[in-house]
Amino acid sequence: MKKFLLLVFVLVSLYWNVNASDYYVDINHSSSSDDNPWTEDLPFKNIQASVNWLLPGDTVYVKDGIYSLSTPKWQSNFPVIVYVFRDWTKDNPITFKAYPGDKPIIDWLWVAEWFYMTGKTWVVIDGFEMRNLAWAWVHVAWSGESISVLNCHIHHVNNDSGSTNVAGIKFDWVKNSYAANNIIHDISFEWDIYNQNTAAIHTYWWSNAIVENNTFSNVYSWIYQKRAVEDVKSSIIRNNEIFNTKT
């Protein structure tokens, strides 16, 4: 029985690897539509449209353009633009990535978070500029695992009501997270970058993380760890550039 289950697992893993798909989002394409078949010639217009179709191992390529406000969805009392609702695996992560050579800009006009996931695993976010956001750009909450944020420029995140926990990235109840080669700056509450609960990276019950080669500035805390996991204190923080912060 164990051998049979192992064989099934291997076959399923091979299936996902062989059948992984590339999706394309291009807001400036003359034929872009969320009803398209997601090819480079007929791309989606909005990123959330791709999330509805993703399977393990898939990659979403986002091309140049300014991706501005669409109608937010409410998840756990947060207005959210992209809500990830599926899990993936170590061998078959899901990837949201700037198209090679492009630098797509996410601009939500101070209304919502951009990327929210609860209890999700093995997601890679790579190569975006994000600006004018509320609360956080990436918010991972409630038992998330193995979330990577790479090569992103995250700036001008503000909240002027409710929670003062404002951040470029929020890792809450997350383990095995990875943040590398990002630039994060100008994070504020009520437009005050030195409010004590603003942070480039905000964490709560955080463990086994690697934070390296980032630049943090114009924020109260470059990392604000509200509470650590008592029996797991093995995060690695190295080679980051930090200036114009209080802590």
Side-chain angles (χ1 to χ4, degrees), residues 25-26 34 44-52 54 60-62 67 70 81-82 96 104-106 108 114-115 128:
V25 181
D26 186 355
D34 291 344
F44 288 132
K45 192 168 188 174
N46 294 296
I47 298 167
Q48 181 65 50
S50 67
V51 176
N52 299 332
L54 294 177
V60 178
Y61 287 105
V62 183
Y67 294 80
S70 56
I81 300 301
V82 176
F96 296 86
I105 298 171
I106 312 299
W108 286 143
W114 181 60
F115 201 108
F128 294 89

Side-chain angles (χ1 to χ4, degrees), residues 21-60:
S21 297
D22 292 338
Y23 297 75
Y24 295 88
V25 181
D26 186 355
I27 197 169
N28 292 322
H29 195 288
S30 59
S31 298
S32 65
S33 168
D34 291 344
D35 296 322
N36 277 343
W38 65 71
T39 64
E40 191 166 5
D41 292 330
L42 291 171
F44 288 132
K45 192 168 188 174
N46 294 296
I47 298 167
Q48 181 65 50
S50 67
V51 176
N52 299 332
W53 293 94
L54 294 177
L55 295 172
D58 289 350
T59 299
V60 178

Side-chain angles (χ1 to χ4, degrees), residues 119-169:
K120 301 309 170 191
T121 61
W122 298 105
V123 178
V124 178
I125 303 164
D126 185 356
F128 294 89
E129 178 183 350
M130 289 71 58
R131 66 191 188 195
N132 304 338
L133 304 163
W135 288 287
W137 175 67
V138 177
H139 188 178
V140 187
W142 303 107
S143 302
E145 182 177 356
S146 302
I147 310 299
S148 298
V149 182
L150 313 172
N151 307 306
C152 290
H153 181 192
I154 304 169
H155 60 99
H156 293 94
V157 181
N158 180 71
N159 183 31
D160 55 11
S161 63
S163 171
T164 59
N165 293 328
V166 188
I169 302 171

Side-chain angles (χ1 to χ4, degrees), residues 215-229:
T215 300
F216 304 122
S217 65
N218 295 351
V219 62
Y220 188 90
S221 300
W222 59 284
I223 291 183
Y224 177 36
Q225 182 161 315
K226 194 168 185 178
R227 186 173 297 174
V229 178

